[in-house]
Amino acid sequence: MRSAKFLFTALAAAGMLAAQGQPPLAQRIAARLRPNDLKADVSFLASDALQGRATPSPGLEIAAEYIAAQFRRAGLEPVGDDGYFQSAAFQSVKPNPEGLEFTLDTANAEQGTVVIQEAVATDLNRAAAFKITLSDTAALDALTAEEVRGKVLLVEVPDVGGAGGGGMAAFQAQRRMLALAAKLEPAMVVMVRAAGQQSNPNARVPLRDATAPAPKVPVLNVWDKAIHDTVAAAQPGPMEAMVSAHIAAPIVQPVKLRNVAGVLRGTDAELKDTYVVVTAHYDHLGVRPNAQGDGIYNGANDDASGSASVIAIAGALAELEEKPKRTIVFVTVFGEELGGLGARWYTSHPIFPIAKTVADINLEQLGRTDDSEGPKVAQFNLTGFDYTDIAATFAKVGAVTGVQAIKHEKNSDSFFNRSDNASFADAGIPSTTLSVSYIFPDYHQPGDEWQKLDYDNLAKVDVTVALGILDMANSAQAPQWNKENPKTARYVQVREKQ
Ligand SMILES: [Zn+2]
């Protein structure tokens, strides 16, 4: 840790200490960033009235309006296409089981043994089939488009039993399979299983970015016994048996979703056209009728705490007399719980140029200090701690406020792709997610309610976060990827092409 004297000099150089007669910057930010304001915002966003803020839902829309109102109060400049709103064109894509048919040679899948996973209208009449085994990763990797293009890929899924259907390894293998399918362009992918999948009563109709190319490869799950046995008995590779199938076109409906965006304009002639983005997701899991308790997933810590922090930090920085040199962009995003939809929309439809965006600081789960590992007071974690020099900035300002920026040895890297910072990283932008706790009691449970947060601690953390953001906004040197860490190579590559 650096000495206090060094810090004083460094802070003075960075313009972080006030001119004569003014209290220090940290104190002025703290005076405006009050625990009760955070409590007010979290308690509203996480109230039962908003019904868990599912994407999409009326509760999510109310949350968006509320956040926009707070940005208006703070005097942020609206930068969406509709005031503070960045509209996103999505579609709900509901599979249509009418006339669904799947035949392998003479075996016609019995009713109730086929479900559509990826709904693409399809008619196949005796198409060639090609068998692979999901567990044979080497063979999967070796597949070429020449081998399977236009054929039906029959994927034997190992029977691992259990309600979850195979755990993380099987899940990852399946995801890899689907990514491969998109590349290899088979006519269809069929996951052939020994047993039926439990239907998920909480399954929602899938959402799709309406501006992105629609998937071309249909995916079915089949567990008809005769078909399973035929596939299981066959050697991997081209099969003698032929496939016929009919999948009706899905029922597609437009869904409008919204990110909420406002900016605090930079004032430096050159740096004002560069951008520090601060994000948090304002959606959560909604209502699940068969859940314990009231079934409302309030999402107070996850992530009303991050959204309220964005509001509070924006308000505090907007009230300072001295304006930042770079422009600070505050964005709350939808659809994180469905796989980062809102952040992905932002980076594929950026309000400000990606190449001029110097960092994304994403805020998640900042309010609960009762981490499953034990109490976490006056500290926060950063994902990808060693990926960029961002952590060093927060460590520096944390030395002033007494809040520690911490590397969680186990979760720092493994959680890097588990929140909205990942979309920004994929776009080449140095990014991180700040969290006080990763896993806490009530994580993704109806009990994640606003009364359980530590608002005094949240305010202290947010003052530190605000100081760090301001430091980045005022520094001539933009945050950088750590090129010595091999895990950043793919992000650096994207960055250097911009
Ligand atoms: Zn979250």
Side-chain angles (χ1 to χ4, degrees), residues 281 302-303 336-337 364-365:
H281 71 91
D302 183 11
D303 189 26
E336 191 275 343
E337 302 289 3
E364 274 255 24
Q365 301 184 181

Side-chain angles (χ1 to χ4, degrees), residues 9 21 36 84 115 127 165 206 243 293 301 355 360 438 450:
T9 320
N36 274 353
Y84 290 106
V115 292
V243 169
N301 199 35
D360 168 52
Y438 288 114
W450 66 267

Side-chain angles (χ1 to χ4, degrees), residues 269-463:
E270 275 173 34
L271 295 178
K272 71 179 168 56
D273 295 323
T274 65
Y275 306 89
V276 177
V277 179
V278 185
T279 49
H281 71 91
Y282 72 95
D283 70 304
H284 195 56
L285 299 168
V287 182
R288 297 181 171 187
N290 64 340
Q292 295 201 318
D294 61 5
I296 301 172
Y297 288 71
N298 302 80
N301 199 35
D302 183 11
D303 189 26
S305 72
S307 300
S309 296
V310 170
I311 292 168
I313 292 165
L317 295 183
E319 264 188 23
L320 292 175
E321 271 171 41
E322 59 271 50
K323 296 301 167 208
K325 291 181 177 175
R326 300 182 196 273
T327 294
I328 305 176
V329 187
F330 298 94
V331 191
T332 63
V333 296
F334 61 84
E336 191 275 343
E337 302 289 3
L338 300 181
L341 301 183
R344 194 70 63 188
W345 179 272
Y346 182 92
T347 54
S348 54
H349 305 81
I351 296 176
F352 299 105
I354 293 288
K356 300 273 185 169
T357 302
V358 300
D360 168 52
I361 308 302
N362 184 50
L363 309 180
E364 274 255 24
Q365 301 184 181
L366 292 176
R368 291 281 287 258
T369 52
D370 56 333
D371 190 282
S372 302
E373 295 173 349
K376 306 269 184 186
V377 179
Q379 57 178 269
F380 59 84
N381 305 282
L382 293 95
T383 60
F385 192 95
D386 307 314
Y387 288 14
T388 67
D389 54 11
I390 293 171
T393 299
F394 284 109
K396 182 179 74 179
V397 297
V400 177
T401 60
V403 174
Q404 274 185 290
I406 298 220
K407 177 178 179 182
H408 191 291
E409 287 300 333
K410 198 166 124 263
N411 294 341
S412 163
D413 293 6
S414 63
F415 274 66
F416 187 75
N417 281 313
R418 284 182 59 172
S419 188
D420 289 317
N421 68 287
S423 295
F424 289 85
D426 289 343
I429 299 163
S431 75
T432 181
T433 290
L434 273 50
S435 303
V436 168
S437 63
Y438 288 114
I439 304 298
F440 56 98
D442 308 309
Y443 171 75
H444 281 202
Q445 297 297 328
D448 181 8
E449 309 223 37
W450 66 267
Q451 293 91 339
K452 298 176 184 174
L453 277 58
D454 179 341
Y455 294 96
D456 289 329
N457 189 69
L458 177 57
K460 277 188 199 134
V461 166
D462 281 351
V463 169

Side-chain angles (χ1 to χ4, degrees), residues 159 173 228:
D159 180 23
H228 170 263

